[in-house]
Amino acid sequence: MPSEPTKELQTFPNPAADRDYEIAFDVPEFTCLCPMTGQPDFATFKIRYVPDELCVELKSLKLYMWSYRNEGAFHEKVTNTIADDIIRAIKPRKLTVVGDFFVRGGIGTIVTVTHEKKKA
């Protein structure tokens, strides 16, 4: 059965929750649509996080990123939404999401969202 895009991020227990370590994902084939023109926007996303109790399952991240393919989204909004959804799913200790959007009209855009869990 073929996979379908989804906004659901699957998780699994962090196998080394007693230490800080970084997980890095590179997503070089991200696409969404320009909300003004409907033309495709292309980007490379870099996601870096230090997990707490949960980690993001890789295939679900792939299907999640694919779900933006036919959506109109401003670069700033989509990068923040991706960060918010990951934060909501796994509550990481630290997270950085960088959306590096290809040049359009002579201007490239890089949006960086950072998050650090507040200590209790």
Side-chain angles (χ1 to χ4, degrees):
M1 173 179 263
S3 298
E4 295 290 328
T6 179
K7 292 286 194 227
E8 184 178 344
L9 288 168
Q10 300 290 321
T11 64
F12 62 92
N14 180 356
D18 59 326
R19 77 165 52 110
D20 285 349
Y21 65 98
E22 184 179 80
I23 298 171
F25 298 125
D26 290 326
V27 185
E29 298 177 342
F30 179 86
T31 58
C32 61
L33 300 176
C34 172
M36 302 298 286
T37 66
Q39 294 179 332
D41 276 333
F42 301 91
T44 295
F45 269 83
K46 295 190 180 295
I47 301 167
R48 308 282 185 264
Y49 74 97
V50 176
D52 195 6
E53 297 299 319
L54 297 171
C55 297
V56 174
E57 191 278 322
L58 189 56
K59 183 174 181 181
S60 77
L61 180 65
K62 177 179 119 175
L63 297 175
Y64 172 84
M65 298 300 279
W66 179 18
S67 74
Y68 286 96
R69 185 178 195 114
N70 294 317
E71 285 187 19
F74 287 106
H75 302 163
E76 299 82 358
K77 172 69 172 148
V78 73
T79 306
N80 276 280
T81 299
I82 290 167
D84 289 343
D85 288 347
I86 294 170
I87 292 164
R88 190 172 13 268
I90 64 168
K91 298 172 183 57
R93 294 176 189 163
K94 293 181 183 178
L95 171 76
T96 301
V97 177
V98 178
D100 186 353
F101 292 83
F102 291 23
V103 173
R104 176 176 290 254
I107 299 174
T109 305
I110 298 174
V111 179
T112 303
V113 177
T114 59
H115 163 81
E116 191 161 345
K117 193 174 195 176
K118 300 202 185 332
K119 298 189 184 200

